[in-house]
Structure formats: C-alpha cells, structure tokens
Amino acid sequence: MTTVVLMGPPGAGKGTHAELLAGRLGVPVISTGDIFRAQVAAKTDLGRTAQRYLDAGEYVPDEITNAMVRERLAAEDTRPGFLLDGYPRTLDQVAVLDDLLATQGRSLDAVVALRVDEEALVRRLLRRAEIEHRSDDTEDVIRRRLQVYGDQTVPLISLYSDRGVLHNVDGNGEIAEVRERLLQVAGALTPAG
C-alpha cells in the first residue's frame, strides 16, 4: 500500500505529472482540482459554490474539500493506496487527513513537493489560460493563488519535513527533465519486488 501527497504551487506541474507518478506507484490519482472542475461543469450546488472561490483565487472551504476527499478515499480503488494531488492544502486539512488515514489503518508514505520559481509559474499559468480558457487563470488571480499557497500551504512543507516524509523535487525546466526527477523519487518509494 502506497499513500502519497503531491504538492506544489499552482502551475508547478502536479496535473502534468500526477498520472505518471501514480502509474509508477500503481495507485489512482485523486485530484481535488479535477473533482471541483467536474462539479462546476455539472453545475451542481458544490460546483457553483466552488466556482466562486476558484474565480477569486481562493481555496474552497475546508469543510467542503474534506467531505469530498473523505468520500473519495472510501472508494474501493484506493485500497492499494493513492496519490493525492491538491490535498491537503491547509493545516486543518492535514489534521483531517491524518485522522482519516488512522481510521483506515494507514499512514502517509511520502509527500512529494514540486518547487518552481514564481515568475516561471506565472508564465506557465498564463499560457495554460490561453490554451484551456480557464477563468481562474488571469494574472491577478494567479498572483493571488500563489500568495494563498504561500500563506496556507507552504507551512505544510515544514510539517512534512519534520515528519521525515518530504521529498523536494525541482520543478523548473522542461517536462521531460522534471519527469525524470519524479521517477527517481518514485523508484525510492516503490517496494523492491
């Protein structure tokens, strides 16, 4: 069983690399961003609520995000483990995840943190906005999202470092370069067969 959190600021490449990393580990990807966007597209109540926060560059409130993740981690396909992309993002979410894992008799094996220079992030996200027409990727919203990440999520990096499960990965450079760095970490996390 392998349980991994993939962290990084908006635009760091979590979505680009999550499937590859999860595939190497043999676990499903659970992306809160994908779940939010699916809810928005389906025009559910959750989607309408989430959209207001996403458009402002803010985090969706913990109680909504926690409930969604709790439900998803109860699914059968997560028994062999999972890779969380975009969760936890706050210290309160860490506490909820810790409790959830303890209830399931699991622990977190690793936190992989992608590190990318801020201006590179802004360029990536503006490029993505042009391609995907995402309402949450204007320059003002991008800079706000990076500020929120710095205020609310960066403290998790120290916490997970103190727990001895943090793996920092340089997310600067071309996709193939970052992929190689991530695969080295995945190799260290995969039990010898």
Side-chain angles (χ1 to χ4, degrees), residues 124-134:
R124 285 181 188 180
L125 290 168
L126 288 172
R127 194 169 344 132
R128 182 174 80 181
E130 290 174 16
I131 296 167
E132 297 179 13
H133 308 290
R134 286 178 51 166

Side-chain angles (χ1 to χ4, degrees), residues 44-120:
T44 66
D45 288 341
L46 172 62
R48 282 189 286 279
T49 300
Q51 186 70 56
R52 288 195 304 269
Y53 291 96
L54 297 172
D55 285 348
E58 301 291 336
Y59 286 164
V60 175
D62 285 351
E63 61 272 11
I64 295 170
T65 307
N66 290 336
M68 228 175 33
V69 170
R70 186 176 286 115
E71 179 180 310
R72 181 62 184 91
L73 292 183
E76 186 65 28
D77 69 332
T78 66
R79 279 183 173 260
F82 50 81
L83 183 142
L84 283 168
D85 166 6
Y87 185 92
R89 289 186 176 182
T90 67
L91 291 169
D92 288 342
Q93 289 178 4
V94 169
V96 169
L97 180 60
D98 287 347
D99 289 345
L100 179 61
L101 292 172
T103 300
Q104 294 180 347
R106 304 178 191 220
S107 62
L108 194 58
D109 295 305
V111 174
V112 178
L114 288 168
R115 305 285 191 128
V116 183
D117 299 329
E118 185 169 331
E119 290 310 309

Side-chain angles (χ1 to χ4, degrees), residues 19-47:
E19 288 292 338
L20 173 81
L21 187 56
R24 183 60 58 102
L25 298 171
V27 298
V29 173
I30 299 169
S31 164
T32 52
D34 288 349
I35 295 170
F36 289 144
R37 284 186 284 279
Q39 295 285 332
V40 168
K43 297 183 179 1
T44 66
D45 288 341
L46 172 62

